């Protein structure tokens, strides 16, 4: 082999090695903080996202979930993602609201009344606008939406079917002003408590009850420390998968698009997951000893007190009454006059 051929061969080998090295360096295993445990809707969305991410990136990228708040409280993970020390987090929308108040429109009581409402709002222009707002306000980007179901009230003392039944109960709520205001509208002062402390708080009777969807009640094993469930539907729980905007912007454009498309696929699968399992989980909770009751008069008293007191109080933070009216008309309901 001539000297020139040797040089060309060596150069080609070095270039190939450099390309392989560059590919290895750019491959990423994203860390995803997850507030809930195994079997939760959050875990389900995480799995759907990881599957889609690996498929769409040809195996180049993957992600690892850290369940049960291993990486910190849900609100802490928003801060960490904002500064780029955490890649992603799966968390309740009410824990994003303190950082980007306009997403609070999704936690106003009795705005979302079905899974179909939630899908229409999150996957349309309103969802896109709220995603842009979280980038601007909180330094995080919403990639996917988890549909977890209505937050059902649980407690360890007695059946609750009326507002009067609530009055001597101590109820845990997230550190979210809209949810706190809702319980105050029902005549009680709830106890704000971090998610990571909730099971212990229920177990030690520091609080009597809490509210979360059936899938969360089951995955967090609240049936071990709670006996009664009330079929409230005051908030439909939506739990986004967020990515650090700093991490996102460090990715090549092609990889950014892969994350976006993987998030869209996970969102669609999350809705079907809820449709497939919610009724089954409800039956399992009954089999595990929980008593489930419906609110009296189709929840009319709860609805009247909450909407009249809470909606006007938060018009400004969600972007004005016009924003609420846009949401309501999008899902075929009458606007606020």
């Amino acid at each position: 082999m001539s000297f020139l051929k040797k040089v060309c061969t060596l150069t080609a080998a070095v270039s190939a090695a450099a390309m392989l090295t560059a590919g290895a360096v750019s491959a990423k295993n994203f860390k995803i903080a997850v507030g809930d445990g195994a079997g939760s809707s959050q875990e389900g969305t995480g799995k759907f996202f990881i599957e889609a991410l690996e498929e769409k990136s040809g195996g180049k990228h993957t992600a690892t979930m850290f369940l049960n708040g291993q990486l910190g409280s849900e609100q802490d993970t928003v801060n960490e993602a904002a500064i780029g020390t955490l890649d992603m987090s799966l968390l309740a929308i009410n824990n994003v609201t303190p950082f980007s108040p306009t997403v609070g429109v999704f936690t106003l009581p009795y705005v979302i009344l079905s899974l179909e409402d939630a899908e229409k709002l999150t996957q349309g222009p309103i969802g896109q606008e709220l995603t842009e707002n979280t980038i601007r306000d909180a330094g995080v980007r919403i990639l996917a939406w988890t549909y977890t179901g209505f937050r059902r009230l649980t407690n360890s003392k007695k059946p609750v079917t009326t507002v009067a039944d609530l009055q001597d109960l101590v109820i845990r709520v997230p550190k979210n002003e809209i949810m706190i205001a809702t319980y105050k509208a029902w005549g009680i002062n709830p106890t704000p408590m971090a998610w990571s402390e909730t099971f212990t708080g229920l177990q030690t009777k520091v609080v009597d009850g809490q509210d979360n969807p059936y899938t969360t009640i089951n995955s967090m094993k609240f049936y071990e420390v709670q006996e009664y469930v009330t079929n409230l539907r005051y908030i439909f729980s939506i739990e986004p998968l967020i990515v650090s905007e700093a991490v996102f912007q460090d990715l090549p454009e092609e990889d950014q698009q892969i994350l976006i498309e993987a998030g869209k696929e996970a969102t669609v699968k999350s809705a079907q997951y809820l449709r497939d399992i919610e009724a089954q989980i409800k039956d399992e909770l009954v089999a595990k000893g929980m008593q489930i009751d419906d609110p009296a008069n189709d929840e009319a008293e709860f609805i009247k007190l909450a909407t009249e007191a809470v909606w006007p109080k938060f018009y400004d933070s969600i972007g004005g009454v016009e924003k609420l009216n846009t949401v309501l008309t999008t899902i075929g309901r009458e606007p606020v006059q």
Side-chain angles (χ1 to χ4, degrees):
M1 182 183 293
S2 69
F3 178 74
L4 180 58
K5 285 185 177 180
K6 287 182 180 179
V7 170
C8 291
T9 301
L10 179 60
T11 301
V14 171
S15 297
M19 290 174 64
L20 288 171
T21 302
V25 170
S26 62
K28 189 167 177 63
N29 182 2
F30 296 95
K31 291 172 65 174
I32 306 177
V34 183
D36 289 349
S40 65
S41 294
Q42 287 185 0
E43 185 199 36
T45 297
K47 287 180 176 179
F48 298 142
F49 175 77
I50 293 169
E51 290 170 2
L53 174 65
E54 290 175 347
E55 179 184 353
K56 294 177 185 302
S57 68
K60 175 182 174 183
H61 298 310
T62 188
T64 301
M65 289 187 288
F66 296 83
L67 303 175
N68 290 309
Q70 293 178 61
L71 301 185
S73 74
E74 291 192 349
Q75 289 195 14
D76 285 346
T77 64
V78 180
N79 277 322
E80 290 161 10
I83 61 176
T85 57
L86 175 66
D87 297 324
M88 300 181 186
S89 180
L90 261 164
L91 71 167
I93 194 74
N94 49 269
N95 284 316
V96 178
T97 306
F99 305 93
S100 188
T102 58
V103 301
V105 71
F106 287 165
T107 57
L108 286 178
Y110 302 105
V111 167
I112 296 176
L113 298 180
S114 68
L115 170 57
E116 291 70 28
D117 286 351
E119 289 177 287
K120 186 174 292 186
L121 291 171
T122 54
Q123 296 180 41
I126 291 172
Q128 182 57 43
E129 179 183 346
L130 295 180
T131 295
E132 292 167 1
N133 289 353
T134 61
I135 297 170
R136 179 196 67 205
D137 299 336
V140 299
R141 175 185 294 259
I142 297 171
L143 288 177
W145 301 91
T146 306
Y147 307 109
T148 312
F150 289 108
R151 296 183 72 108
R152 314 295 186 173
L153 175 68
T154 73
N155 82 94
S156 59
K157 285 190 170 181
K158 61 180 180 179
V160 172
T161 61
T162 68
V163 171
D165 293 333
L166 273 176
Q167 299 314 302
D168 60 347
L169 295 178
V170 180
I171 304 297
R172 174 268 173 187
V173 294
K175 297 175 182 178
N176 176 273
E177 292 302 318
I178 293 175
M179 299 173 76
I180 292 169
T182 300
Y183 276 94
K184 287 183 175 179
W186 293 333
I188 66 171
N189 285 314
T191 301
M193 181 180 288
W195 181 231
S196 58
E197 301 169 4
T198 301
F199 186 92
T200 301
L202 296 168
Q203 187 176 45
T204 58
K205 310 296 185 184
V206 172
V207 290
D208 301 316
Q210 61 84 50
D211 64 62
N212 262 292
Y214 287 128
T215 57
T216 307
I217 293 167
N218 189 54
S219 69
M220 300 306 290
K221 300 183 178 180
F222 286 157
Y223 51 81
E224 295 181 356
V225 291
Q226 301 277 271
E227 184 174 353
Y228 303 99
V229 182
T230 305
N231 267 329
L232 283 185
R233 54 192 176 101
Y234 84 110
I235 289 178
F236 187 96
S237 188
I238 298 174
E239 302 179 312
L241 168 64
I242 60 171
V243 61
S244 164
E245 185 65 8
V247 169
F248 183 84
Q249 292 300 334
D250 278 344
L251 296 171
E253 186 174 343
E254 178 184 355
D255 289 345
Q256 291 178 359
Q257 194 60 36
I258 287 171
L259 260 62
I260 291 171
E261 293 303 319
K264 289 179 179 179
E265 186 171 315
T267 297
V268 172
K269 288 185 175 180
S270 173
Q272 189 58 49
Y273 179 76
L274 182 63
R275 288 187 174 96
D276 290 342
I277 68 164
E278 187 173 39
Q280 173 190 332
I281 288 178
K282 181 180 177 182
D283 291 341
E284 289 178 5
L285 292 174
V286 172
K288 290 170 180 175
M290 299 196 86
Q291 175 179 322
I292 300 178
D293 297 290
D294 291 325
N297 300 318
D298 199 27
E299 216 165 326
E301 185 182 15
F302 289 94
I303 294 170
K304 184 176 188 297
L305 291 171
T307 55
E308 289 182 357
V310 179
W311 284 11
K313 184 176 181 180
F314 292 94
Y315 287 159
D316 288 345
S317 67
I318 66 168
V321 67
E322 299 81 6
K323 184 59 61 182
L324 175 60
N325 283 338
T326 299
V327 168
L328 292 174
T329 55
T330 297
I331 53 179
R333 293 173 57 191
E334 290 297 318
V336 175
Q337 299 301 319

